[in-house]
């Protein structure tokens, strides 16, 4: 029986929904994912061709020129693409180099840090980590466990708070003052009764970290956990990571912390040398 003007079958309804999504560019999560996918495709196109115009990019993405122009505008605002004003062509911006450089630094530290972490872990018997700054947290990108740390938890890949970890305090202490104060202005979460949550007290600790060359935490993140960390520097002297030794307080008590701190500082200096510092 033929359908009336207001009737439609399942296939027609699906087609209509698809058409609506195409016209609107997608809504909600699906639309956001599609936009991210297209933005990444733009970067890949520019990486492949060196430079390209809006029309060329729109054709490769199979989208309207206005859509391509909006994507390029967002990427340009973030410094990921730039435009040659005389030709109107777009090319990869300095922001891509910044991201690539950050990724390369992490990769280099992970590779160069393996023998350093392994040696310290074998010597002290404790867990050794390398952490880098990730916005408002320290992320562990390399870990080695000593013989006494067989049952220690895995810190690899974990984001840990800056104010409650030894690595975090080292990274925080060496930030530019404006960035450091911005982070200290945020509410500081209390993890244990020993967590430092007062900005004035933490500022004093961070000054001590810079002066003595290492940071210490005793049961500030977890009860029973102690840690010591030292800075790792790049070729230009900038602190790009922290190397830490952690273990239970009954093994890393005050009587042993000095020894562990000295070894950690030496490990930080060795890894800094491997990263080009001092040459």
């Amino acid at each position: 029986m033929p359908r009336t003007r207001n009737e439609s079958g399942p296939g027609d309804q699906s087609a209509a929904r698809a058409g609506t999504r195409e016209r609107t560019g997608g809504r909600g999560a699906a639309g956001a994912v599609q936009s991210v996918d297209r933005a990444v495709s733009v970067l890949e196109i520019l990486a492949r061709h060196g430079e390209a115009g809006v029309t060329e990019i729109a054709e490769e993405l199979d989208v309207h020129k206005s859509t391509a122009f909006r994507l390029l505008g967002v990427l340009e605002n973030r410094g990921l693409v730039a435009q040659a004003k005389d030709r109107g062509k777009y090319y990869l911006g300095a922001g891509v180099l910044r991201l690539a450089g950050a990724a390369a630094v992490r990769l280099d530290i992970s590779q160069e840090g393996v023998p350093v972490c392994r040696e310290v872990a074998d010597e002290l018997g404790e867990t050794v980590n390398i952490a880098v700054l990730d916005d408002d947290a320290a992320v562990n990108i390399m870990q080695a466990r000593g013989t006494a740390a067989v049952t220690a938890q895995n810190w690899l890949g974990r984001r840990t708070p800056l104010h409650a970890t030894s690595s975090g305090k080292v990274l925080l202490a060496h930030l530019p003052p404006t960035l450091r104060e911005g982070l200290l202005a945020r509410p500081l979460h209390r993890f244990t009764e020993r967590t430092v949550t007062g900005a004035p007290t933490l500022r004093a600790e961070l000054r001590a970290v810079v002066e003595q060359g290492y940071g210490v935490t005793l049961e500030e993140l977890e009860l029973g956990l102690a840690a010591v960390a030292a800075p790792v520097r790049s070729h230009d002297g900038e602190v790009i990571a922290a190397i830490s030794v952690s273990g239970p307080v009954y093994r890393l008590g005050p009587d042993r912390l000095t020894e562990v701190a000295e070894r950690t500082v030496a490990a930080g200096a060795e890894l800094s040398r491997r990263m080009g510092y001092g040459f």
Side-chain angles (χ1 to χ4, degrees):
M1 179 178 178
R3 289 182 292 217
T4 65
R5 182 181 302 173
N6 294 326
E7 292 178 327
S8 60
D12 297 325
Q13 294 171 359
S14 297
R17 286 194 295 270
T20 300
R21 286 195 297 269
E22 178 63 26
R23 289 193 300 273
T24 60
R27 292 193 177 97
V33 170
Q34 184 183 52
S35 295
V36 172
D37 182 70
R38 286 174 172 171
V40 173
S41 296
V42 170
L43 298 177
E44 291 175 340
I45 290 169
L46 296 179
R48 190 165 60 248
H49 295 300
E51 61 178 22
V54 177
T55 301
E56 185 179 355
I57 292 171
E59 289 177 352
E60 289 211 33
L61 292 178
D62 194 23
V63 299
H64 194 274
K65 283 180 61 175
S66 62
T67 300
F69 188 76
R70 285 195 299 270
L71 289 170
L72 287 164
V74 172
L75 293 171
E76 187 175 18
N77 287 337
R78 293 295 184 129
L80 298 176
V81 305
Q83 185 180 24
K85 302 300 181 183
D86 55 335
R87 299 187 308 280
K89 299 276 189 176
Y90 288 86
Y91 55 91
L92 293 178
V96 173
L97 297 176
R98 183 181 67 250
L99 297 177
V105 165
R106 289 192 180 199
L107 180 61
D108 289 345
I109 291 177
S110 296
Q111 293 174 341
E112 296 295 342
V114 170
V116 177
C117 290
R118 186 70 270 159
E119 181 181 354
V120 177
D122 289 344
E123 180 181 330
L124 299 180
E126 306 296 349
T127 300
V128 181
N129 280 283
I130 297 174
V132 297
L133 186 69
D134 185 18
D135 190 22
D136 61 348
V139 177
N140 294 293
I141 61 172
M142 172 62 202
Q143 177 174 279
R145 294 182 181 180
T147 54
V150 175
T151 60
Q153 57 183 298
N154 183 15
W155 295 98
L156 195 60
R158 284 185 56 179
R159 299 180 85 252
T160 56
L162 297 176
H163 68 288
T165 59
S166 59
S167 292
K169 288 184 179 182
V170 167
L171 295 171
L172 194 57
H174 290 90
L175 277 178
T178 302
L179 292 178
R180 182 171 60 248
E181 287 305 313
L183 292 171
L184 292 179
R186 302 179 183 183
L188 302 177
H189 181 72
R190 182 178 297 279
F191 296 92
T192 73
E193 61 182 14
R194 303 195 66 166
T195 306
V196 178
T197 58
T201 303
L202 189 54
R203 284 191 191 95
E205 282 199 21
L206 297 180
R207 286 194 294 270
V209 168
V210 174
E211 291 171 1
Q212 64 192 14
Y214 62 89
V216 177
T217 52
L218 290 171
E219 299 186 291
E220 295 178 40
L221 179 64
E222 295 182 3
L223 292 176
L225 179 67
V228 182
V232 176
R233 300 178 184 274
S234 63
H235 68 281
D236 59 1
E238 180 184 357
V239 173
I240 54 174
I243 184 169
S244 66
V245 176
S246 61
V249 290
Y250 66 82
R251 287 204 304 264
L252 292 182
D255 55 336
R256 194 183 177 212
L257 274 179
T258 300
E259 170 201 350
V260 174
E262 290 177 353
R263 186 64 184 89
T264 306
V265 169
E270 169 61 16
L271 186 48
S272 297
R273 187 192 64 78
R274 287 172 172 264
M275 297 301 296
Y277 180 63
F279 288 95

